Amino acid sequence: MNEKDALLVVLTLAPKDGWYAYAADHPGPVGRPPVIKAEVIPGGEAVVPYFPPGTDKPDPFDPTRTMRVYTGPTPLFLPLPSGLVAPARLKLRLGLALCLDNKCRETSVELVYPFTISDPATLPAAEDQSWWPDFMAAVKLGPQVPGRMAQPTFQPAFTPAQTAPEGWDFSPRAASPGMEVTGLLTAILFGLLAGLILNAMPCVLPVVSLKLSGLLTGGGLSAPEKRRAFREHNIFFSLGILSWFGFLAILLAASGMAWGEIFQTPLLVALLAALVLAMALSLFGVFNLPVIDLKLDTKTKNPAAQAFFTGVLATLLATPCSGPFLGGVLGWALLRPAYEVALVFLAVGLGMSLPYLAMAALPGLSRHFPRPGAWTLYVERAAGFFLLATAGYLVNILPDAYLSRALALLWTIALACWFWGLAGPEASDRKRIVMRLLALVLVAGALLWLLLPRSAGFAWEEFRADRLRDRIGQDLIVADFTADWCPTCKFLEQTVLADKNVRDWASRHDAVFVRVDLTDDDPEAEALLRALGSRSIPLLAIFPRGEDAKRPIVLRDLFSARQVEAALVQAGAR
């Protein structure tokens, strides 16, 4: 492969503020450099990673020793093998030690990256990217070799060494061979069983239990119309389940994505959390959810559509809970031809649908259900709390960068649901139109804000007292004193000190931005704060270049972007 046609995947490691990872060129003996095990699937061809050099940092356990670490966003490089046929996936496992001050945590991350390559010439040129110097430095450092970093072995033409790891030659045996997926028939049988079990998962149980409302109201069915409605409800609920699994089969087979990978998308997780919250509020009587209404006494105008879309919803909620039951089955299936993927997915959907299809075939089973009564209201409320817990779980798995937007979306959804509920049957036509229009505008605004593209976060430098002393007077330095327990600080970080503003100031004024975190006790940071004449935060200190660095400009409590700009101009004036 020549350099023009070579392909390179760049993985960005971005530790949170204050955290760092040991670099690949860390000399040891304490500390674990990162290790990546990567392969192209299908095929299993190994991909050898390249790491850039780290930066020096004093060892907190031994001040006489220097570590090599990654602090801010750091690119990690994975040159792809030649002759790659799309669609394919890059499967990798990253192991590293993440540290904060004098404590470390062993961390492991697994992900599957799908890509479609039609013409390498259409991809961005690597040498035009901001990380190109890091890649050239990584090439000089050499590829990853287990236990050490190799010496440079190739010129920067992206061609990785295609050799298997040395010293390992195993023939693994399964602990339970009978439970291993070895063929299509086994995968279908396990899929049926796993789908059946999904009905009892915590993510699904609230919806399924409430959909029994259609069955509870049919206690003692005898009239042909009621039997027909009972049968229709279960058939369309099952069709919703099968439709969702069919959609997933097409999506995953066409895109090469891994099972559950769609739930690595923060946008989808946030939208699902908002939908679950709206369902919970409908159960508490705040409003009536159109189409998918779970309340037991709902008289819908289109019961078939309601049953179908609620089946889709129940299956959508089942996806995050399905890992323990479907991981092995779908892990095997997704490496198979498209028709086998479809068969296995439909088997899972059929397994989940079996209870409802059985009740559709035998509507007389409804005689064994308890008759509806006042107790059903408590079922609704209990299911509402289950759904609130599900929404909390979904928000909890979001990356920190999306948390504020997701919480704002949930708050807006709750307000919009209340407005929609105020436009009930007893409201006048004018009030109904105004309130529902206002609810839709709120939801649309929240979704638009959620969908706005996010730029890469600005990499603030960590506060280190010795390093700051050396740089004061040499550079124009902006030090922001903050803490997780300071709400005003967080407000300023989201508004005045937003990434866009800080990036612009750093570029125009050639300023260095340092974040001084007082979340935990830090005697040196607190001493600096006292030296600036303050015992409270937020505080922004701007140290000019030269002798004026001894007279820093200080902004306290609430301040505006205009005040920061004026202070930077004043500090930069010669």
Side-chain angles (χ1 to χ4, degrees), residues 255-276:
S255 66
M257 297 172 69
W259 174 246
E261 189 176 342
I262 54 175
F263 282 90
Q264 294 179 7
T265 306
L267 175 61
L268 181 59
V269 175
L271 293 177
L272 184 56
L275 176 59
V276 172

Side-chain angles (χ1 to χ4, degrees), residues 206-214 217 233 237 275-311 313-314 380-381 383 387 420-421 425 436:
V207 175
V208 172
S209 63
L210 282 177
K211 288 321 295 175
L212 290 176
S213 63
T217 55
H233 172 87
F237 188 74
L275 176 59
V276 172
L277 174 64
M279 291 164 50
L281 294 176
S282 74
L283 293 176
F284 290 123
V286 175
F287 80 120
N288 290 327
L289 187 66
V291 183
I292 307 172
D293 200 337
L294 304 180
K295 293 195 292 298
L296 301 185
D297 58 351
T298 299
K299 298 180 185 287
T300 178
K301 296 180 180 179
N302 195 336
Q306 186 194 57
F308 176 84
F309 285 109
T310 310
L313 175 66
E380 288 183 5
R381 298 296 186 263
L387 292 176
W420 193 279
R436 292 189 174 180

Side-chain angles (χ1 to χ4, degrees), residues 26-31 56-68:
H26 174 64
V30 178
D56 289 336
K57 177 180 173 63
D59 191 328
F61 300 99
D62 185 356
T64 65
R65 187 171 304 180
T66 300
M67 305 183 298
R68 298 286 288 174

Side-chain angles (χ1 to χ4, degrees), residues 547-565:
E547 296 182 358
D548 282 347
K550 299 294 184 180
R551 301 171 55 246
I553 302 170
V554 175
L555 300 174
R556 306 178 192 276
D557 302 321
L558 286 174
F559 45 83
S560 66
R562 183 174 296 179
Q563 290 175 299
V564 176
E565 172 69 24

